[in-house]
């Protein structure tokens, strides 16, 4: 039994998905030229598709699961189920207008023409806001629409905002935030569900380790409780008696964002021989 996974065939989401699969121990060959690739050491095969085809492929059972941007999943509105939010390829879907226009609130969009590749999401938002506007659906280069007179505003993906700036546009309303999703067919067989559970277990182990560091240090017993209070770890730090009388080795996990704050406090408490190691996987 093999679990088929649909993956975007190119772009940033493709790159980040391939890196995630690699970190979970799934090795693929010839991904550049082959539509369907079988993993060497895990019961999955990867089907490479356009991002906007993945929700339908999963919903109809052409593929069992898929990794797709939340924006495409919501836009296509297919009958599939979110198995896990993956937390990468983050972006937002926003309304933007020419930078020189004075904007006060969403009512500005009444009776305006808006260009977008996401008409379903946009129409739902406008309806919720009681806004009546003309939606002009196009694919690609949405950001040039106002400058060529095709629309008065756009609704599109925004990451850094640099594309908007280069086209003399400004973001005025964030409609939704998006990230990569692992979606699944609602009628997945029991054996395939078991494989999916194993895959999610591996993904959890990889993602739990993100932005965390393993720390080892030596400390005198007189300072041990203060250091334990500073290093709670996942449950509690590991403490081992050293050969030197009155000294212990302490091991724990810290968040990378607090790294320098914690190191400074540890040194103030007399910690010595501080060693910081990257974490590849973490099983809770």
């Amino acid at each position: 039994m093999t679990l088929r996974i649909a993956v975007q065939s190119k772009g940033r989401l493709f790159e980040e998905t391939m890196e995630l699969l690699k970190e979970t121990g799934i090795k693929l060959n010839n991904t550049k030229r082959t539509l369907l690739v079988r993993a060497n050491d895990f019961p999955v095969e990867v089907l490479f598709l356009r991002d906007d085809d993945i929700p339908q492929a999963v919903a109809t059972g052409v593929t069992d699961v898929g990794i797709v941007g939340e924006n495409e999943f919501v836009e296509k509105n297919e009958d599939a189920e979110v198995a896990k939010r993956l937390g990468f390829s983050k972006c937002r879907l926003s309304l933007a207008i020419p930078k020189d226009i004075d904007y006060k609130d969403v009512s500005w969009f009444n009776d305006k023409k808006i260009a977008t590749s996401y008409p379903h999401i946009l129409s739902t938002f406008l309806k919720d806001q009681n806004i009546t506007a003309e939606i002009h659906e196009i694919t690609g280069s949405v950001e040039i629409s106002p400058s060529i007179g095709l629309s008065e505003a756009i609704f599109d993906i925004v990451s850094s905002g640099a594309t908007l700036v280069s086209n003399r546009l400004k973001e005025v309303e964030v409609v939704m935030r998006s990230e990569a999703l692992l979606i699944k067919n609602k009628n997945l067989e029991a054996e395939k569900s078991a494989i999916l559970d194993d895959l999610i277990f591996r993904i959890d182990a990889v993602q739990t380790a993100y932005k965390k560091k393993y720390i080892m240090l030596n400390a005198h017993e007189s300072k041990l409780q203060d250091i334990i209070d500073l290093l709670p770890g996942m449950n509690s730090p590991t403490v081992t008696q050293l050969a030197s009388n009155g000294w212990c080795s302490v091991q724990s996990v810290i968040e990378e964002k607090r790294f320098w704050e914690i190191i400074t406090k540890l040194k103030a408490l007399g910690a010595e021989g501080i060693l910081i190691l990257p974490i590849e996987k973490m099983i809770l």
Side-chain angles (χ1 to χ4, degrees):
M1 183 68 70
T2 300
L3 185 76
R4 179 176 291 179
I5 306 173
V7 168
Q8 185 173 316
S9 58
K10 60 182 179 179
R12 183 165 65 102
L13 183 54
F14 164 80
E15 299 292 343
E16 292 180 315
T17 298
M18 290 298 99
E19 182 62 27
L20 176 62
L21 293 179
K22 179 181 177 181
E23 290 178 340
T24 60
I26 297 174
K27 299 177 182 178
L28 303 170
N29 295 319
N30 302 318
T31 59
K32 294 294 184 182
R33 297 184 179 179
T34 308
L35 179 65
L36 185 65
V37 182
R38 179 91 182 244
N40 295 329
D41 49 5
F42 193 73
V44 302
E45 58 184 13
V46 175
L47 177 65
F48 296 99
L49 297 174
R50 285 168 47 97
D51 57 347
D52 53 357
D53 290 334
I54 293 175
Q56 183 182 50
V58 174
T60 58
V62 172
T63 184
D64 303 308
V65 300
I67 296 177
V68 66
E70 186 174 3
N71 54 305
E72 290 294 344
F73 180 62
V74 175
E75 174 62 28
K76 297 306 179 184
N77 197 29
E78 295 284 351
D79 192 26
E81 182 178 328
V82 177
K84 181 174 176 59
R85 305 184 72 88
L86 296 175
F88 58 82
S89 287
K90 291 186 176 182
C91 63
R92 55 194 183 272
L93 284 174
S94 297
L95 284 158
I97 63 175
K99 60 176 295 186
D100 297 331
I101 291 177
D102 183 29
Y103 180 84
K104 293 183 178 179
D105 56 46
V106 72
S107 64
W108 181 90
F109 291 97
N110 265 313
D111 302 319
K112 298 294 194 298
K113 182 183 289 186
I114 308 171
T116 186
S117 299
Y118 300 93
H120 172 71
I121 297 174
L122 177 56
S123 62
T124 301
F125 172 77
L126 294 176
K127 183 179 180 180
D128 289 343
Q129 298 293 323
N130 295 314
I131 301 297
T132 301
E134 180 182 345
I135 297 175
H136 189 78
E137 183 178 357
I138 61 175
T139 57
S141 301
V142 174
E143 65 278 357
I144 69 170
S145 299
S147 65
I148 63 175
L150 189 61
S151 70
E152 296 158 283
I154 70 166
F155 176 63
D156 201 15
I157 291 176
V158 178
S159 294
S160 67
T163 301
L164 294 181
V165 172
S166 64
N167 286 276
R168 299 182 59 81
L169 299 172
K170 62 182 179 182
E171 184 179 11
V172 293
E173 296 286 343
V174 177
V175 174
M176 73 168 285
R177 298 188 182 274
S178 174
E179 64 183 271
L181 302 177
L182 176 63
I183 61 174
K184 68 176 183 177
N185 182 275
K186 288 187 174 181
N187 300 310
L188 206 59
E189 301 169 44
E191 289 182 70
K192 291 186 176 183
S193 290
I195 298 172
L196 176 59
D197 289 343
D198 193 4
L199 175 62
I200 291 175
F201 170 78
R202 294 186 180 203
I203 292 173
D204 285 341
V206 170
Q207 293 190 331
T208 300
Y210 284 168
K211 297 184 178 180
K212 290 184 174 63
K213 299 292 184 183
Y214 191 77
I215 185 169
M216 302 174 65
L217 59 92
N218 297 332
H220 194 270
E221 288 180 347
S222 62
K223 297 294 184 179
L224 185 58
Q225 190 57 53
D226 290 336
I227 288 175
I228 288 176
D229 291 341
L230 185 61
L231 297 173
M234 303 307 293
N235 290 306
S236 63
T238 299
V239 179
T240 306
Q241 193 73 37
L242 295 178
S244 299
N245 188 36
W247 282 81
C248 299
S249 172
V250 181
Q251 303 169 40
S252 188
V253 174
I254 61 175
E255 293 185 1
E256 190 172 26
K257 65 182 180 181
R258 295 191 62 205
F259 175 79
W260 290 112
E261 170 199 346
I262 289 176
I263 293 300
T264 301
K265 291 179 179 179
L266 286 172
K267 288 179 64 65
L269 289 170
E272 298 180 1
I274 301 172
L275 180 63
I276 308 297
L277 301 171
I279 300 174
E280 184 176 326
K281 310 286 189 299
M282 183 179 292
I283 314 298
L284 297 180

